[in-house]
Amino acid sequence: MSRILDVKNLHVSFDTYGGEVKAVRGVDFHLEKGETLAIVGESGSGKSVTTKALMRLIPNPPGYIKHGEMIFEGKDLAKASEKEMQKIRGKDISMIFQDPMTSLNPTMTVGNQIIEPLVKHQNMSKADAKKRAIELMKLVGLPNPEARFKQYPHQFSGGQRQRVVIAIALACNPKILIADEPTTALDVTIQAQILELMKDLQNKIETSIIFITHDLGVVANVADRVAVMYGGQIVESGTVDEIFYDPRHPYTWGLLGSMPTLETNDEVQLTAIPGTPPDLLNPPKGDAFALRSEYALQIDFEQEPPTYQISDTHFVRSWLLHPNAPKVEPPEAVKVRQRKMPSNFKEPVLVEEVQV
């Protein structure tokens, strides 16, 4: 694999009447060609702001990229002009938004909305664009595309509208597809169909996907790697197996503990993370998760933890990994998953302490 995107020390803020809201605080991640990276975390953790910054869709004012680099194919998107970004959006980087009804123009037929990026970015004639749009509608599983091409968004079901949005996003064969919780507004049956569709399409067009979600159950089926966000920072990242079977951050433990499994019973119960996310108008000193963590150490309230490297792919920001930290046991819900660890998964060892 070769790297297509490299985000370094990204900071995104919003100026409000109350002061500066530091929505994203020093985020680092990368994306390889053909892989799916899932960014997970509860509402307000900074997932959507991070990916909208990649598309330069942060409204300015009040929002702005305060610091950092977003290197896409050698170009820093943070420094790109609006004219340059207009050539990239929809062509090289596309986005599927959470609610398909608000993503589609109710006054235009779905066919014309799929044609639009083809005419703008591919310089196709309307006849060729219509032919390609019908092919895309077939590709995403919309029945009778020739007839439905002339219909309006309100004439489609929720799942079908999401398929239309996916067709628009895929029209120009983007190199990166950002999916911002694309299944949240759908029922579980349609969710499964959309997720299966995205996996199938990725294999066909070899695009890289950034998948945003708060549902770890979705992650297990679609992602190659996972980045866990909290308080505007990535607190843990690794392969799917590393995050599910060897999580090291207390916040990741909390997310996994709140997700039901076949083993959930009277002995292994679902747990809730107490408290609320931090106020990023005044970010807490030290570890942002400390106030909600039963495993917090004194230093968590005084100093931000460095990043520890567990393996070549597994990184964690937690003082619990410091050599002098007390040894703590993860909750029972996490231990159950560790007992189900795949036979091909090797227990990683601490490689080094990486200072942030």
Side-chain angles (χ1 to χ4, degrees), residues 33-35 170 174-177 201-202 205-209:
K33 287 184 178 178
E35 80 164 344
L170 294 176
K175 295 170 183 177
I176 297 176
L177 178 65
L201 291 175
Q202 184 180 33
I205 67 174
E206 297 182 342
T207 189
S208 302
I209 296 177

Side-chain angles (χ1 to χ4, degrees), residues 190-310:
I190 304 302
Q191 278 186 25
Q193 293 176 9
I194 294 295
L195 292 173
E196 190 61 36
L197 169 66
M198 292 186 66
K199 286 171 64 179
D200 184 50
L201 291 175
Q202 184 180 33
N203 292 331
K204 289 180 179 177
I205 67 174
E206 297 182 342
T207 189
S208 302
I209 296 177
I210 299 176
F211 196 98
I212 305 170
T213 183
H214 60 268
D215 185 352
L216 273 172
V218 168
V219 169
N221 295 319
V222 300
D224 300 304
R225 289 189 301 114
V226 182
V228 180
M229 281 198 77
Y230 183 79
Q233 299 174 321
I234 292 178
V235 297
E236 184 164 7
S237 62
T239 65
V240 168
D241 280 348
E242 286 169 337
I243 297 301
F244 272 81
Y245 298 109
D246 187 45
R248 299 296 182 98
H249 197 282
Y251 182 60
T252 313
W253 293 349
L255 291 178
L256 289 168
S258 64
M259 189 175 77
T261 69
L262 294 175
E263 289 77 24
T264 304
N265 52 36
D266 292 338
E267 294 181 8
V268 182
Q269 296 182 344
L270 295 180
T271 59
I273 301 174
T276 57
D279 177 10
L280 295 181
L281 186 61
N282 297 294
K285 187 179 180 181
D287 188 340
F289 188 60
L291 286 171
R292 304 175 69 186
S293 174
E294 62 181 288
Y295 306 97
L297 308 172
Q298 182 60 40
I299 194 171
D300 282 313
F301 298 95
E302 301 169 355
Q303 188 176 339
E304 277 195 14
T307 299
Y308 291 89
Q309 184 173 349
I310 309 298

Side-chain angles (χ1 to χ4, degrees), residues 55-56 75 77 79-92 120-121:
M55 297 279 284
R56 294 283 299 279
K75 177 185 286 291
L77 300 181
K79 296 177 180 176
S81 66
E82 177 58 24
K83 191 171 183 180
E84 289 173 321
M85 287 306 302
Q86 287 176 3
K87 294 178 181 178
I88 292 172
R89 292 191 203 108
K91 181 176 182 287
D92 294 324
K120 179 176 177 59
H121 292 299

Side-chain angles (χ1 to χ4, degrees), residues 130-201:
K130 180 178 179 180
K131 184 178 178 182
R132 173 62 178 155
I134 290 173
E135 290 174 357
L136 285 164
M137 292 176 76
K138 289 179 181 176
L139 184 67
V140 298
L142 286 167
N144 197 13
E146 290 83 1
R148 308 218 70 181
F149 180 89
K150 301 176 183 179
Q151 293 182 333
Y152 290 85
H154 73 271
Q155 295 173 280
F156 291 73
S157 69
Q160 289 173 332
R161 283 195 290 265
Q162 194 61 288
R163 289 171 187 267
V164 171
V165 171
I166 292 172
I168 295 170
L170 294 176
C172 298
N173 291 329
K175 295 170 183 177
I176 297 176
L177 178 65
I178 300 171
D180 188 356
E181 303 208 35
T183 61
T184 298
L186 308 175
D187 62 64
V188 291
T189 304
I190 304 302
Q191 278 186 25
Q193 293 176 9
I194 294 295
L195 292 173
E196 190 61 36
L197 169 66
M198 292 186 66
K199 286 171 64 179
D200 184 50
L201 291 175

